[in-house]
Amino acid sequence: MSAVSSRLPVFPWDKLEPYKKTALAHPDGMVDLSVGTPVDPVPALIQKALVAAADSPGYPTVWGTPELRDAITGWCERRLGAVGLTHGNVLPVVGSKELVAWLPTQLGLGAGDRVAYPRLAYPTYEVGARLCGAEPVVYDDPTELDPAGLRLLWLNSPSNPTGKVLAKEELTRIVAWAREHGVLVFADECYLELGWEADPVSVLHPDVNGGSYEGVVAVHSLSKRSNLAGYRAAFAAGDPGVLHELLQIRKHGGMMTAAPVQAAAVAALGDDAHVAEQRERYAARRAALRAALEAHGFRIEHSEASLYLWATRDEPCWETVAYLAEKGVLVAPGDFYGEAGARFVRVAFTATDEGVAAAVKRLG
């Protein structure tokens, strides 16, 4: 039982508990800016679709309903500029974290294989590699990696935690390099609709992939754009050969999105108005927190997209975490995302308007 868990790093959020206690002891309570979890209501049209599908006594399918596949292909073409997608190009998944964690295993990777991801990155990329016994490899520029044994390359634009966006030309160069060396590219694009000072581009765009989805898959989530983190609704889109193989494996594993959630996802992907409304909320919170942090002596780097500000006071990140916890504000230490983040903190602007206002006041 312990053989697999022993391969994994310590679950990072457990390290934050003492600082959470400090923040909770603040006379006016804690403002939690550590986790990027949505706090605003699920849009009414999505709730309505979920309720309407509540009488779902039969098993859902792993591939999803035709309506869901239509919704995914339609959204990818409308929003990402993808061309010529069919149902064979898409695969619903049970939240994007599940896919990230188990993808290397489902691809059949193991000892002797290498999985690469950004030097500053969501910890689950490393976890996925370690679960199957593959070697995790970090990069600054993936085209500088030795391609020998490199089986899976994770891109993440916009980045979690930094909010950095890869330019279209950069994505094009990386995809071309990966194809040249037979490396499968999976692009985590879960924050793509949350660009602030940049307009993120998908690897599904023909300018990036040359009109072919060979060796390229994008991963998208409804958690952030539609406040559906509690629904566990996400999907992959791209190379039909790769997705067909994953579909066969996931059928055996029973990795099915619940039927009412599939119906809710159809409603969410078919409506852009609620996304624009949520963006306005986040934009206001982002502007308020950024101004307060900078006025307080923080420097903000990257952060041109996503739901986070990548902030530093040029000191060890845990000192910053402790300093802010004394003010009743909880943030995530940058070293959760790699050693390169050791002097940064990630500040989420997913708290309520009241919470953000309280944090701004305390920083003031």
Side-chain angles (χ1 to χ4, degrees), residues 245-285:
E245 177 68 12
L246 290 176
L247 175 60
Q248 305 315 307
I249 294 163
R250 293 169 69 85
K251 283 180 179 178
H252 284 289
M255 305 180 91
M256 303 171 282
T257 304
V261 173
Q262 292 190 33
V266 171
L269 289 167
D271 178 73
D272 295 331
H274 76 276
V275 180
E277 183 179 337
Q278 188 61 42
R279 274 182 56 87
E280 289 181 9
R281 293 190 188 107
Y282 285 142
R285 293 166 186 167

Side-chain angles (χ1 to χ4, degrees), residues 47-361:
Q47 293 191 46
K48 184 178 179 180
L50 182 84
V51 172
D55 186 14
S56 297
Y59 289 110
T61 66
V62 173
W63 201 18
T65 62
E67 292 79 12
L68 177 56
R69 284 176 257 144
D70 281 343
I72 294 171
T73 57
W75 181 84
C76 288
E77 292 178 352
R78 183 178 80 248
R79 181 62 186 87
L80 307 182
V83 176
L85 289 178
T86 69
H87 286 194
N89 294 106
V90 301
L91 179 66
V93 296
V94 192
S96 58
K97 184 172 185 176
E98 169 263 303
L99 179 70
V100 173
W102 293 107
L103 177 66
T105 298
Q106 292 175 5
L107 290 173
L109 305 191
D113 297 321
R114 300 161 72 221
V115 175
Y117 51 88
R119 186 172 303 280
L120 278 167
Y122 183 48
T124 312
Y125 305 130
E126 177 188 358
V127 167
R130 294 191 180 280
L131 280 171
C132 73
E135 178 189 355
V137 180
V138 299
Y139 66 77
D140 295 307
D141 178 348
T143 67
E144 296 177 357
L145 292 171
D146 179 356
L150 183 59
R151 301 287 303 281
L152 175 62
L153 171 62
W154 278 108
L155 302 181
N156 180 210
S157 175
S159 163
N160 174 15
T162 68
K164 181 180 179 181
V165 174
L166 293 177
K168 182 191 293 184
E169 296 74 21
E170 192 78 348
L171 289 171
T172 304
R173 181 178 66 85
I174 293 168
V175 167
W177 176 88
R179 284 175 169 165
E180 178 185 351
H181 295 286
V183 179
L184 177 61
V185 173
F186 262 70
D188 180 347
E189 301 178 349
C190 290
Y191 295 92
L192 188 136
E193 293 207 281
L194 295 162
W196 309 111
E197 296 161 6
D199 188 13
V201 178
S202 172
V203 295
L204 299 183
H205 195 287
D207 287 354
V208 173
N209 60 42
S212 167
Y213 299 115
E214 180 185 357
V216 175
V217 178
V219 180
H220 283 268
S221 167
L222 278 68
S223 294
K224 313 299 185 184
R225 71 183 292 280
S226 299
N227 299 339
L228 295 190
Y231 283 46
R232 312 314 302 133
F235 62 87
D239 189 319
V242 172
L243 295 181
H244 178 75
E245 177 68 12
L246 290 176
L247 175 60
Q248 305 315 307
I249 294 163
R250 293 169 69 85
K251 283 180 179 178
H252 284 289
M255 305 180 91
M256 303 171 282
T257 304
V261 173
Q262 292 190 33
V266 171
L269 289 167
D271 178 73
D272 295 331
H274 76 276
V275 180
E277 183 179 337
Q278 188 61 42
R279 274 182 56 87
E280 289 181 9
R281 293 190 188 107
Y282 285 142
R285 293 166 186 167
R286 176 181 183 273
L289 274 174
R290 179 165 194 154
L293 286 165
E294 290 178 333
H296 200 77
F298 283 83
R299 185 176 75 254
I300 308 297
E301 292 194 359
H302 302 303
S303 306
E304 58 253 36
S306 83
L307 292 176
Y308 313 106
L309 294 169
W310 189 237
T312 182
R313 295 206 310 166
D314 294 310
E315 66 185 4
C317 60
W318 287 99
E319 290 183 19
T320 309
V321 170
Y323 172 78
L324 291 173
E326 292 289 345
K327 295 180 176 296
V329 177
L330 190 67
V331 298
D335 66 3
F336 274 11
Y337 308 95
E339 293 179 5
R343 298 179 74 83
F344 286 81
V345 293
R346 193 194 74 170
V347 184
F349 43 88
T350 53
T352 62
D353 291 342
E354 294 76 15
V356 168
V360 168
K361 182 178 180 181

